[in-house]
Amino acid sequence: MSDTDAQSVFFMRDTMLPQVPPPAGQSGPVRWLRENLFSGWFNTILTICGLIALYFLLRGLLPWFAHSVWTADTLSECRQIIAAKWGPDATGACFAVVRERWTQWLFGFYPRHLYWRPVLTLVLMFVAMAPVLFPGVPRKLMIFSAIYPFLGFWLLWGGSAWVPLGGMAGFVLGYIAWRVLRENRPLVGILVAVVIALLWWLLLAGPVIDLFRSIAPLAIESVRSDRFGGFVLSLTIGVAAIAISLPLGIALALGRQSDMFLIKTLSVGFIEFIRGVPLITLLFTASLLLNYFLPPGTNFDIILRVIIMVSLFAAAYIAEVIRGGLAALPRGQYEAADSLGLDYFQAQRLIVLPQALKISIPGIVSVFIGLFKDTTLVIFVGLLDPLKGITDAVRASIDWKGIYWEPYIFVGSIFFLFCFGMSRYSMYLERRLKRDHR
């Protein structure tokens, strides 16, 4: 056989090679450390500097947390316990203040015998949110989701049951008018629904509520708004503002892209004005100036005024986030809607908005998280938020005068849990709606 013939003969293995473990540096923790912490000289220096900083940080924090005291009646008793256990120079956290005053951080000055009402409202809130947030929940629960805002208002503030029922009646009348006119004149149907609801609330709701109240006085003990505080106040303002600002932001985003000059001008003016004014200014407006624009003798609850202003503030930012999602859609999507013969509202509901909202999910959730944290600014209008208002009230007590870090750690941890939960749900929603798998 010649050399040429020998080279033309190919060898094919008829057995598999036995598996061998990967090299030590190519698997497990060693590979992760090399790729993430020591991938180069600069990354190595940063890792070493970070470890040094972490060492000095933990050297001070770990003993402070390890020497924590959870059972004491006063700050001085806490310090005595720490000195007796770990020496006179030892330092430690006095989380006994959290154990003693946690109800105040959660409920503010809400009557103690009525704590069941905000707790029940919170539980029902998760029930009402379930069909909106998770696809596996029966759609029939959406009826309860629509009723919940009025039920939650009644449970928190109390008073006559006919007040929230009268408010709900305005939405029902507007919805009926919209259903009648939506097929032939959708825009006219929306305008008529808004006008009917406003006429009901401004002219008819008061006398009708008084009539039913005189016939059947269904009521529970009322609670004034100045008794609200802590996380009951933050959740009330935050959840209500989130629920109101999202549809309002969608309407503003669509209005800003409208071809009608008046609607576009009003939407742009509103968005730019709200975004150019600090939230604190709007809160002062809600607290001091809004009553000047209301009829004499009108007593508009301060918490409801704050909810309105916070909702308008968040709606302006959500509108810009959604406008970015609308701008990201290819022009072909709009042309596809036109080719199918869909009108404006059908195209927005079935094709445009679902895709734009999916694109805008991270930005929308970021606005929601910032909105929930901004509820602490209500301290500037005299409401007792958990971070400043309730904490200062606790620290003003003789028993806990001088305590500092522990209340802020407790309040910050609860805020973190809520905000982290919103961010995790955002990521879950993005994964569920993702269609372009590769």
Side-chain angles (χ1 to χ4, degrees), residues 141-190:
L141 283 177
M142 291 290 290
I143 299 176
F144 178 75
S145 301
I147 298 174
Y148 171 77
F150 308 97
L151 177 61
F153 171 85
W154 184 57
L155 286 174
L156 289 175
W157 274 272
S160 174
W162 297 112
V163 174
L165 288 175
M168 184 170 59
F171 287 99
V172 173
L173 293 174
Y175 177 74
I176 293 173
W178 175 75
R179 286 293 298 264
V180 172
L181 299 173
R182 68 171 182 170
E183 294 296 335
N184 299 324
R185 298 178 178 270
L187 183 58
V188 174
I190 295 175

Side-chain angles (χ1 to χ4, degrees), residues 50-65:
L51 291 175
I52 293 174
L54 183 63
Y55 166 76
F56 284 105
L57 182 66
L58 293 179
R59 190 178 67 173
L61 287 179
L62 287 181
W64 190 74
F65 280 106

Side-chain angles (χ1 to χ4, degrees), residues 143-263:
I143 299 176
F144 178 75
S145 301
I147 298 174
Y148 171 77
F150 308 97
L151 177 61
F153 171 85
W154 184 57
L155 286 174
L156 289 175
W157 274 272
S160 174
W162 297 112
V163 174
L165 288 175
M168 184 170 59
F171 287 99
V172 173
L173 293 174
Y175 177 74
I176 293 173
W178 175 75
R179 286 293 298 264
V180 172
L181 299 173
R182 68 171 182 170
E183 294 296 335
N184 299 324
R185 298 178 178 270
L187 183 58
V188 174
I190 295 175
L191 294 177
V192 171
V194 172
V195 170
I196 289 177
L198 291 176
L199 290 176
W200 166 262
W201 291 325
L202 296 176
L203 301 178
L204 300 176
V208 173
I209 289 173
D210 292 337
L211 175 63
F212 280 99
R213 187 184 295 172
S214 61
I215 297 174
L218 302 176
I220 57 177
E221 182 179 345
S222 61
V223 179
R224 301 192 315 269
S225 292
D226 58 0
R227 306 298 299 275
F228 282 64
F231 282 97
V232 167
L233 179 64
S234 291
L235 284 172
T236 300
I237 296 175
V239 173
I242 287 172
I244 296 172
S245 62
L246 181 58
L248 185 57
I250 294 173
L252 287 171
L254 295 177
R256 183 158 190 166
Q257 291 196 329
S258 175
D259 295 331
M260 291 182 280
F261 177 78
L262 180 60
I263 293 179

Side-chain angles (χ1 to χ4, degrees), residues 401-415:
K401 197 171 186 65
I403 201 161
Y404 189 77
W405 289 107
E406 293 86 344
Y408 294 116
I409 292 174
F410 173 67
V411 175
S413 300
I414 297 181
F415 268 108

Side-chain angles (χ1 to χ4, degrees), residues 262-275:
L262 180 60
I263 293 179
K264 183 174 183 179
T265 302
L266 292 176
S267 299
V268 171
F270 175 85
I271 292 172
E272 296 303 329
F273 172 76
I274 294 296
R275 293 176 66 211

Side-chain angles (χ1 to χ4, degrees), residues 36-38 40-53:
N36 294 278
L37 300 180
F38 302 99
W41 66 269
F42 185 69
N43 199 6
T44 301
I45 293 176
L46 290 178
T47 299
I48 295 174
C49 293
L51 291 175
I52 293 174

